[in-house]
């Protein structure tokens, strides 16, 4: 019976899937039929890619997320089953031509305790895993900024903005997505940057509402900064899963009405 359910689940996910781990989590920008939260293996999420077209400028590049190989880690995000033929050209422009990313293929594992994020279809078995395309930057692209002390990365994020909005919005909306859908998820890099950026906003008496584009605030941050979990096992099981801890384009995103309708994007 279990094997039949897994087979049925995989057959329901035979379409083209895109895995998002950055702004795609909260602003896909393309039509899609289904969406799951979940993870990919063998990578870590880092704010090591520069951006001059969305969250920064040529003179002052912003910092956005990419994935770097890390055999012992997982990255949580969101997978979309795309609809129609417009998604790939749109993503090629948004991610590759303007963002400096290229396409790779990996296996996506849906969260076993979570419902699909699309609100109009919850019936049928949930797939155990399926192939998904994702966009990743490498050190060979001209926008690569690479590793730096988190304090420096946080300061850069606070100082940068571009045609799609402030760099702070990008970071806090991603962190807010994680807090809302994966409140137990472990992402020390992301959550430490969130804490440092919020601290700088408070220290400099900046207007968070303005930085966020005058729209809804993301989820509240932790009261204290994350600490390095040297003895923590990030692969502890929770329900069978590893431990979980507006742009300038003219495309309409299909935002799930119950969860993301008030993002005002």
């Amino acid at each position: 019976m279990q094997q039949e359910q897994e087979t049925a689940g995989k057959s329901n996910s035979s379409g083209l899937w895109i895995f998002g781990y950055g702004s795609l989590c909260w602003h896909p920008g393309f039509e899609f039929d289904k969406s799951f939260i979940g993870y990919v293996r063998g990578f870590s999420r880092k704010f090591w890619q520069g951006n001059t077209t969305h969250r920064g400028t040529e003179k002052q590049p912003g910092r956005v997320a990419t994935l770097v190989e890390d055999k012992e880690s997982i990255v949580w995000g969101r997978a979309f089953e795309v609809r129609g033929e417009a998604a790939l050209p749109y993503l090629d422009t948004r991610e590759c031509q303007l963002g400096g990313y290229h396409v790779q293929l990996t296996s996506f594992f849906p969260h076993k305790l979570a419902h699909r994020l699309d609100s109009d279809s919850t019936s049928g078995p949930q797939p155990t895993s399926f192939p998904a395309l994702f966009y990743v930057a490498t050190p060979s692209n001209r926008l690569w900024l690479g590793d730096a002390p988190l304090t420096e990365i946080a300061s850069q994020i606070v100082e940068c903005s571009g045609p799609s909005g402030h760099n702070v919005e990008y970071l806090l909306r991603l962190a807010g997505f994680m807090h809302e859908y994966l409140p137990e998820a472990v992402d020390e890099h992301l959550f430490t940057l969130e804490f440092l950026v919020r601290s700088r906003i408070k220290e400099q008496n900046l207007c968070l509402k303005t930085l966020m584009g005058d729209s809804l605030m993301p989820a509240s941050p932790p009261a204290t900064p994350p600490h390095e979990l040297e003895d923590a096992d990030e692969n502890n099981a929770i329900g069978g899963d590893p431990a979980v801890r507006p742009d300038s384009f003219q495309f309409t995103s299909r935002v799930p009405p119950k969860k993301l309708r008030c993002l005002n994007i």
Side-chain angles (χ1 to χ4, degrees), residues 179-190:
H179 292 317
E180 180 173 2
Y181 291 105
L182 295 158
E184 304 89 6
V186 174
D187 193 324
E188 291 297 320
H189 184 84
L190 172 62

PDB file of all heavy atoms in Angstrom, residues 179-190:
ATOM      1  N   HIS A 179       9.889  32.024   9.101  1.00  0.00           N
ATOM      2  CA  HIS A 179       9.267  32.062  10.431  1.00  0.00           C
ATOM      3  C   HIS A 179       7.822  31.587  10.378  1.00  0.00           C
ATOM      4  O   HIS A 179       7.352  30.907  11.294  1.00  0.00           O
ATOM      5  CB  HIS A 179       9.309  33.482  10.994  1.00  0.00           C
ATOM      6  CG  HIS A 179      10.687  33.964  11.329  1.00  0.00           C
ATOM      7  ND1 HIS A 179      11.621  33.171  11.965  1.00  0.00           N
ATOM      8  CD2 HIS A 179      11.298  35.161  11.127  1.00  0.00           C
ATOM      9  CE1 HIS A 179      12.738  33.860  12.130  1.00  0.00           C
ATOM     10  NE2 HIS A 179      12.569  35.065  11.626  1.00  0.00           N
ATOM     11  N   GLU A 180       7.104  31.931   9.296  1.00  0.00           N
ATOM     12  CA  GLU A 180       5.689  31.601   9.223  1.00  0.00           C
ATOM     13  C   GLU A 180       5.458  30.141   8.873  1.00  0.00           C
ATOM     14  O   GLU A 180       4.647  29.460   9.505  1.00  0.00           O
ATOM     15  CB  GLU A 180       4.986  32.491   8.200  1.00  0.00           C
ATOM     16  CG  GLU A 180       3.495  32.183   8.080  1.00  0.00           C
ATOM     17  CD  GLU A 180       2.751  33.175   7.204  1.00  0.00           C
ATOM     18  OE1 GLU A 180       3.398  34.092   6.655  1.00  0.00           O
ATOM     19  OE2 GLU A 180       1.520  33.026   7.079  1.00  0.00           O
ATOM     20  N   TYR A 181       6.159  29.650   7.863  1.00  0.00           N
ATOM     21  CA  TYR A 181       5.881  28.308   7.367  1.00  0.00           C
ATOM     22  C   TYR A 181       6.776  27.233   7.979  1.00  0.00           C
ATOM     23  O   TYR A 181       6.399  26.063   7.997  1.00  0.00           O
ATOM     24  CB  TYR A 181       6.028  28.274   5.836  1.00  0.00           C
ATOM     25  CG  TYR A 181       4.943  29.043   5.132  1.00  0.00           C
ATOM     26  CD1 TYR A 181       5.198  30.283   4.563  1.00  0.00           C
ATOM     27  CD2 TYR A 181       3.653  28.531   5.047  1.00  0.00           C
ATOM     28  CE1 TYR A 181       4.200  30.990   3.928  1.00  0.00           C
ATOM     29  CE2 TYR A 181       2.646  29.228   4.407  1.00  0.00           C
ATOM     30  CZ  TYR A 181       2.921  30.462   3.846  1.00  0.00           C
ATOM     31  OH  TYR A 181       1.927  31.158   3.224  1.00  0.00           O
ATOM     32  N   LEU A 182       7.960  27.623   8.440  1.00  0.00           N
ATOM     33  CA  LEU A 182       8.911  26.649   8.985  1.00  0.00           C
ATOM     34  C   LEU A 182       9.512  27.216  10.270  1.00  0.00           C
ATOM     35  O   LEU A 182      10.711  27.483  10.347  1.00  0.00           O
ATOM     36  CB  LEU A 182      10.009  26.359   7.958  1.00  0.00           C
ATOM     37  CG  LEU A 182       9.526  25.672   6.678  1.00  0.00           C
ATOM     38  CD1 LEU A 182      10.508  25.908   5.543  1.00  0.00           C
ATOM     39  CD2 LEU A 182       9.333  24.188   6.902  1.00  0.00           C
ATOM     40  N   PRO A 183       8.688  27.412  11.299  1.00  0.00           N
ATOM     41  CA  PRO A 183       9.169  28.095  12.506  1.00  0.00           C
ATOM     42  C   PRO A 183      10.269  27.358  13.252  1.00  0.00           C
ATOM     43  O   PRO A 183      10.972  27.964  14.050  1.00  0.00           O
ATOM     44  CB  PRO A 183       7.902  28.205  13.365  1.00  0.00           C
ATOM     45  CG  PRO A 183       6.997  27.122  12.865  1.00  0.00           C
ATOM     46  CD  PRO A 183       7.270  27.037  11.398  1.00  0.00           C
ATOM     47  N   GLU A 184      10.445  26.058  13.007  1.00  0.00           N
ATOM     48  CA  GLU A 184      11.509  25.317  13.674  1.00  0.00           C
ATOM     49  C   GLU A 184      12.769  25.194  12.824  1.00  0.00           C
ATOM     50  O   GLU A 184      13.735  24.555  13.220  1.00  0.00           O
ATOM     51  CB  GLU A 184      11.027  23.905  14.037  1.00  0.00           C
ATOM     52  CG  GLU A 184       9.773  23.873  14.896  1.00  0.00           C
ATOM     53  CD  GLU A 184       8.502  23.867  14.061  1.00  0.00           C
ATOM     54  OE1 GLU A 184       8.608  23.783  12.828  1.00  0.00           O
ATOM     55  OE2 GLU A 184       7.410  23.966  14.645  1.00  0.00           O
ATOM     56  N   ALA A 185      12.777  25.790  11.638  1.00  0.00           N
ATOM     57  CA  ALA A 185      13.869  25.596  10.691  1.00  0.00           C
ATOM     58  C   ALA A 185      15.179  26.199  11.171  1.00  0.00           C
ATOM     59  O   ALA A 185      15.201  27.247  11.803  1.00  0.00           O
ATOM     60  CB  ALA A 185      13.504  26.191   9.332  1.00  0.00           C
ATOM     61  N   VAL A 186      16.265  25.530  10.866  1.00  0.00           N
ATOM     62  CA  VAL A 186      17.605  26.005  11.207  1.00  0.00           C
ATOM     63  C   VAL A 186      18.227  26.648   9.967  1.00  0.00           C
ATOM     64  O   VAL A 186      18.393  25.997   8.945  1.00  0.00           O
ATOM     65  CB  VAL A 186      18.497  24.842  11.695  1.00  0.00           C
ATOM     66  CG1 VAL A 186      19.927  25.314  11.918  1.00  0.00           C
ATOM     67  CG2 VAL A 186      17.923  24.233  12.972  1.00  0.00           C
ATOM     68  N   ASP A 187      18.538  27.931  10.056  1.00  0.00           N
ATOM     69  CA  ASP A 187      19.264  28.634   9.000  1.00  0.00           C
ATOM     70  C   ASP A 187      20.056  29.754   9.666  1.00  0.00           C
ATOM     71  O   ASP A 187      19.643  30.912   9.687  1.00  0.00           O
ATOM     72  CB  ASP A 187      18.316  29.193   7.943  1.00  0.00           C
ATOM     73  CG  ASP A 187      19.043  29.646   6.686  1.00  0.00           C
ATOM     74  OD1 ASP A 187      20.176  30.166   6.823  1.00  0.00           O
ATOM     75  OD2 ASP A 187      18.505  29.486   5.573  1.00  0.00           O
ATOM     76  N   GLU A 188      21.188  29.397  10.239  1.00  0.00           N
ATOM     77  CA  GLU A 188      21.969  30.350  11.031  1.00  0.00           C
ATOM     78  C   GLU A 188      22.387  31.569  10.221  1.00  0.00           C
ATOM     79  O   GLU A 188      22.383  32.696  10.725  1.00  0.00           O
ATOM     80  CB  GLU A 188      23.207  29.653  11.614  1.00  0.00           C
ATOM     81  CG  GLU A 188      22.900  28.619  12.678  1.00  0.00           C
ATOM     82  CD  GLU A 188      22.247  29.233  13.893  1.00  0.00           C
ATOM     83  OE1 GLU A 188      22.662  30.337  14.311  1.00  0.00           O
ATOM     84  OE2 GLU A 188      21.308  28.634  14.432  1.00  0.00           O
ATOM     85  N   HIS A 189      22.779  31.356   8.988  1.00  0.00           N
ATOM     86  CA  HIS A 189      23.230  32.464   8.133  1.00  0.00           C
ATOM     87  C   HIS A 189      22.101  33.476   7.946  1.00  0.00           C
ATOM     88  O   HIS A 189      22.286  34.686   8.182  1.00  0.00           O
ATOM     89  CB  HIS A 189      23.689  31.899   6.789  1.00  0.00           C
ATOM     90  CG  HIS A 189      24.271  32.916   5.854  1.00  0.00           C
ATOM     91  ND1 HIS A 189      25.581  33.322   5.901  1.00  0.00           N
ATOM     92  CD2 HIS A 189      23.700  33.612   4.826  1.00  0.00           C
ATOM     93  CE1 HIS A 189      25.809  34.215   4.953  1.00  0.00           C
ATOM     94  NE2 HIS A 189      24.689  34.407   4.285  1.00  0.00           N
ATOM     95  N   LEU A 190      20.936  33.002   7.543  1.00  0.00           N
ATOM     96  CA  LEU A 190      19.797  33.883   7.288  1.00  0.00           C
ATOM     97  C   LEU A 190      19.332  34.578   8.560  1.00  0.00           C
ATOM     98  O   LEU A 190      19.134  35.803   8.573  1.00  0.00           O
ATOM     99  CB  LEU A 190      18.652  33.066   6.691  1.00  0.00           C
ATOM    100  CG  LEU A 190      17.311  33.784   6.525  1.00  0.00           C
ATOM    101  CD1 LEU A 190      17.429  34.967   5.566  1.00  0.00           C
ATOM    102  CD2 LEU A 190      16.235  32.811   6.050  1.00  0.00           C
TER     103      LEU A 190
END
